[in-house]
Amino acid sequence: MNKWDRLPRITEDDFVEHLEDDNFFEEYGNPVVIQSKEHGELVCMSYAYHERMHKGIEAAQEAASEASMPADQEREIDYWIYEFQMPDEEKKKLLDIAASLGMTSDEFIQASFRYAMDHPDESDKEAKLQQIQRANALGIRLVKMYPVYQGETEAQAYRRAVKEEMKRKE
């Protein structure tokens, strides 16, 4: 038995003649097998059906991937993601500074963190307090921070962080 045998069928001529009909998929099926003289069997489905099917497959793959991952306590953190919120004018200043150094904003921020970690004696409590107060006055604030564990994509880490945040709010 062919995997397409259970689907509705249409001839190539009928397909060409009725494809533009507003109710094509309601009339002939979604998906529908087109019996082509030259190419054998072809399958046609609406874009919306294809997207739903594709999202379902992605969700199943992601669930399987997440299920195979060890608990967070057992995994090592690869790196952290920090999400900041700031006024557009401050964002432009940051982008301009980074560009003048030949860096992206992410590279500039990472370099700043590395410098602070490598030179803790230069970052005494008073300087840190002044920087935090200045950032608050400018409207720059840390919105979210979350780890990306080994073997995890940034998208998976983000979804996990959102789920954890929702659980905390409940």
Side-chain angles (χ1 to χ4, degrees):
M1 179 177 235
N2 182 324
K3 61 184 173 184
W4 308 118
D5 283 346
R6 294 186 182 149
L7 295 176
R9 299 180 168 291
I10 187 173
T11 66
E12 186 174 15
D13 294 335
D14 284 339
F15 175 73
V16 171
E17 184 177 330
H18 296 285
L19 179 61
E20 302 281 328
D21 295 354
D22 289 338
N23 65 343
F24 176 81
F25 289 110
E26 289 84 11
E27 180 73 26
Y28 295 100
N30 188 19
V32 61
V33 175
I34 304 159
Q35 295 173 304
S36 170
K37 298 170 190 124
E38 188 175 329
H39 303 289
E41 294 179 330
L42 303 171
V43 177
C44 177
M45 67 180 72
S46 71
Y47 180 77
Y49 180 81
H50 177 269
E51 286 299 299
R52 281 194 316 272
M53 185 175 65
H54 187 68
K55 285 179 184 174
I57 291 169
E58 281 182 346
Q61 288 172 339
E62 186 175 305
S65 172
E66 288 176 1
S68 68
M69 288 184 188
D72 293 345
Q73 298 85 350
E74 299 169 14
R75 296 187 288 169
E76 286 192 40
I77 295 173
D78 253 352
Y79 56 94
W80 286 81
I81 293 179
Y82 298 87
E83 290 183 18
F84 290 93
Q85 193 173 56
M86 66 182 71
D88 290 340
E89 59 271 7
E90 295 305 319
K91 185 176 182 179
K92 184 179 178 343
K93 288 178 189 176
L94 174 68
L95 292 172
D96 290 345
I97 292 169
S100 72
L101 297 170
M103 300 175 153
T104 65
S105 59
D106 284 345
E107 291 168 338
F108 178 72
I109 297 295
Q110 288 174 9
S112 300
F113 282 143
R114 266 191 235 106
Y115 183 84
M117 291 172 65
D118 291 344
H119 303 87
D121 51 325
E122 294 177 25
S123 303
D124 65 349
K125 286 183 180 182
E126 186 60 33
K128 287 180 184 177
L129 181 60
Q130 288 175 4
Q131 288 172 347
I132 291 170
Q133 289 171 342
R134 183 174 183 278
N136 286 338
L138 294 173
I140 300 171
R141 63 185 192 92
L142 178 65
V143 177
K144 188 180 295 177
M145 61 184 258
Y146 50 92
V148 177
Y149 293 102
Q150 288 180 348
E152 183 178 48
T153 66
E154 288 185 6
Q156 290 170 328
Y158 178 79
R159 282 190 290 279
R160 179 184 36 74
V162 168
K163 285 178 189 174
E164 289 171 0
E165 186 177 327
M166 290 173 69
K167 283 180 185 176
R168 281 192 299 271
K169 289 181 180 179
E170 291 177 347

